[in-house]
Amino acid sequence: MTGTIVDATNGKEPDGVRHEKDGDTHGWLKLDPGFEDLLNAGNLNNEGGNLVFEIVCKFKVTQEDAKPACNNFSSSIDIPPVGSHVQIVGSYVRDTNHAQWMEIHPVSSIKVIQ
């Protein structure tokens, strides 16, 4: 899907994504027109109307039960700057552990597009 990366941290992280304790990102993608039907109430009410994207094992893991999953692996996917128009490829799933939002998890690739 395509869209624009927006700041999911309210200015707290320079890369615009939350650095989760399990090592994953928690980023926001403002979807391009035509992709809005990929959002649900969780996205609209809890994620600023954006699709969540998670790059796994991107950051240092501090959550004990997540450490084995990232053992000997660190994602090499680059996070384009906030405001970049991108194509993100990955698994489109519903996060059942939180507010039931839809997300791309894991992200397979991010490509900046014009």
Side-chain angles (χ1 to χ4, degrees):
M1 54 209 61
T2 59
T4 302
I5 294 179
V6 296
D7 188 351
T9 70
N10 210 16
K12 294 177 184 166
E13 293 288 348
D15 58 13
V17 300
R18 297 180 205 153
H19 297 209
E20 300 293 344
K21 292 178 181 181
D22 65 0
D24 294 358
T25 69
H26 185 107
W28 282 355
L29 184 68
K30 170 115 177 105
L31 294 171
D32 283 345
F35 288 107
E36 302 91 350
D37 62 337
L38 297 175
L39 303 174
N40 68 11
N43 298 95
L44 299 174
N45 298 326
N46 298 92
E47 300 299 323
N50 300 293
L51 189 68
V52 174
F53 65 91
E54 293 199 36
I55 303 169
V56 299
C57 303
K58 182 68 179 171
F59 305 115
K60 180 180 177 175
V61 180
T62 59
Q63 181 179 316
E64 285 302 318
D65 66 347
K67 287 182 178 181
C70 293
N71 192 28
N72 298 319
F73 176 74
S74 179
S75 177
S76 61
I77 296 174
D78 290 327
I79 304 167
V82 169
S84 297
H85 189 232
V86 298
Q87 176 186 46
I88 297 183
V89 175
S91 297
Y92 172 68
V93 299
R94 181 169 54 98
D95 187 318
T96 58
N97 293 324
H98 300 96
Q100 309 294 315
W101 56 71
M102 303 306 294
E103 60 184 38
I104 306 169
H105 186 177
V107 170
S108 301
S109 67
I110 301 178
K111 176 183 172 186
V112 176
I113 57 177
Q114 301 302 336

